[in-house]
Amino acid sequence: MRRRRLALAVLSALLILGGSSTAGTLPAAATGLPAESPKPASDGLVTAMRRDLGLTREQAETRIAAERTAAALAPRVRRTAGNAYGGSWFDAEKGRLTVALTPEASTHTRRAIEASGAEVRTARYSARQLDAAKARIDRLSAPTGVSGWHVDPKAGTVVVDVVRGERSDNDVRHFVSQARTTGPVTVSTVASAPRTFAAGTVGGDPYYTGNVRCSIGFSVYGGFVTAGHCGRPGAGVSGWDGSYIGTFQGSSFPDNDYAWVGVGSGWWTVPVVLGWGTVSDQLVRGSAVAPVGSSVCRSGSTSHWHCGTVLATNETVNYSQGAVHQLTKTSVCAEPGDSGGSFITGDQAQGVTSGGWGNCAGGGETWFQPVNEILNRYGLTLHTYTG
């Protein structure tokens, strides 16, 4: 048992239990387009999607294939649309990418995008206009009753989330009033304020820094990436058995929530996300960004393996420690100790767990920091399986 547990710990300490890519040149592995001959979905992944999304095996396999196509198509249609691009999302019912275009899009552009296999919708505002409105809101100081805000391309607005019971608060009302002056804004009510998912020390889990337990994200060459709130630069990291793994080489929180740890002392990296016996371990083959509406699964040291859907990208989340930007919102549950753990769609790495609300008994929502942003920020290369 000890030998088996050690093997699991080594895996978890080098892969990552745990995007929208930032501008600029990413490492080759961070561009993330799926291979031309994609591997079939693993039985474990299909089983988890059946459990958490209520799908049949055939529906899960069909969805995985459709999402892989949509993820590869999304950046191409954005380039084709140019200034007329209003956003895109995966339509799970139709099994294809939907692209919003403003009226300025030419007939040729619309036909070209439709010919690619995507559906076209008309948008009043461009993605550039919506992003600009969100950026102006980012410069405001948010009270604790405002949990976050993000661009919703399907609705064509910036959605400001307010904690239930706080909407009549004077500070919240003032913030919402200011937000409405930035552009098209709608207000939504959420159940609870988000929080990070770090935890106190519990024996037998993947890694610790000080008295904090977090989950390993994805392997990169030289170490692994994880959540920034789990440790500061220079902080030492130990594994489940107390043995030394390495140190935090870089970390950012709040504003961002990402970090990377350099490993040594006999620990090594592998392109795997641990399935915890719930599903088979998942190989990582790239980091193509899953569009809004796609399925996504999460692995963490507390609640292990759970799946859901991508609800929003580029969201600003207002934690008690300060706002964190460019997070992706999901319907996946998480619990304390899952922070830093991996989010993955199919075999494509998506990001590392930041925080959320709720738990895996009653449900909730969780945000992740996109992995491509982390790779780009620190000049890292994702460790991927090429077999």
Side-chain angles (χ1 to χ4, degrees), residues 134 137-138 140 142-151 159-161 163 175 190 192-197 253-257 312-330 354-357 365-370:
K134 178 185 175 294
I137 299 175
D138 283 343
L140 302 177
T144 56
V146 176
S147 68
W149 50 95
H150 66 275
V151 170
V159 177
V160 175
D161 291 322
V163 177
F175 179 88
V190 296
S192 179
R195 60 191 172 93
T196 55
F197 283 128
F253 180 80
D255 188 26
N256 305 291
D257 194 5
T313 59
N314 191 25
E315 176 154 3
T316 298
V317 175
N318 191 34
Y319 293 127
S320 61
Q321 301 94 328
V324 175
H325 304 91
Q326 295 181 302
L327 297 181
T328 297
K329 181 180 183 179
T330 77
S354 174
W357 63 268
E365 294 175 334
T366 305
W367 286 262
F368 67 78
Q369 185 88 63

Side-chain angles (χ1 to χ4, degrees), residues 210-247:
N211 67 341
V212 172
R213 171 171 60 86
C214 283
S215 299
I216 293 169
F218 294 95
S219 285
V220 295
Y221 287 98
F224 63 83
V225 294
T226 187
H229 69 263
C230 291
R232 302 287 90 187
V237 174
S238 58
W240 71 275
D241 59 354
S243 66
Y244 177 76
I245 296 176
T247 60

Side-chain angles (χ1 to χ4, degrees), residues 65 82 120 156 168 173 189 201 213 234 240 244 255 297 337:
V120 172
S168 61
R173 292 173 65 184
T189 300
T201 299
R213 171 171 60 86
W240 71 275
Y244 177 76
D255 188 26
C297 297

Side-chain angles (χ1 to χ4, degrees), residues 238-299:
S238 58
W240 71 275
D241 59 354
S243 66
Y244 177 76
I245 296 176
T247 60
F248 279 83
Q249 301 298 307
S251 177
S252 177
F253 180 80
D255 188 26
N256 305 291
D257 194 5
Y258 51 58
W260 83 281
V261 174
V263 304
S265 302
W267 294 76
W268 65 92
T269 65
V270 291
V272 178
V273 170
L274 197 62
W276 293 96
T278 302
V279 301
S280 57
D281 295 345
Q282 304 296 302
L283 294 173
V284 178
R285 289 189 169 92
S287 56
V289 178
V292 170
S294 301
S295 63
V296 67
C297 297
R298 181 194 55 72
S299 180

Side-chain angles (χ1 to χ4, degrees), residues 166-182:
E166 299 289 334
R167 193 161 182 170
S168 61
D169 178 83
N170 286 336
D171 290 338
V172 171
R173 292 173 65 184
H174 180 64
F175 179 88
V176 170
S177 178
Q178 287 183 298
R180 291 191 190 280
T181 67
T182 67

Side-chain angles (χ1 to χ4, degrees), residues 48-114:
M49 292 178 67
R50 292 178 64 187
R51 179 195 66 194
D52 294 339
L53 297 178
L55 304 176
T56 66
R57 171 172 290 277
E58 182 180 4
Q59 288 172 331
E61 292 175 341
T62 298
R63 180 162 176 170
I64 290 169
E67 289 172 346
R68 183 182 290 121
T69 299
L73 181 60
R76 298 204 296 267
V77 297
R78 180 165 192 159
R79 289 192 296 268
T80 300
N83 292 334
Y85 181 73
S88 65
W89 59 94
F90 178 75
D91 188 323
E93 290 187 1
K94 296 182 178 179
R96 60 176 175 170
L97 189 72
T98 299
V99 182
L101 298 176
T102 61
E104 69 182 84
S106 67
T107 301
H108 173 75
T109 297
R110 288 176 176 271
R111 288 177 177 172
I113 291 176
E114 289 173 339

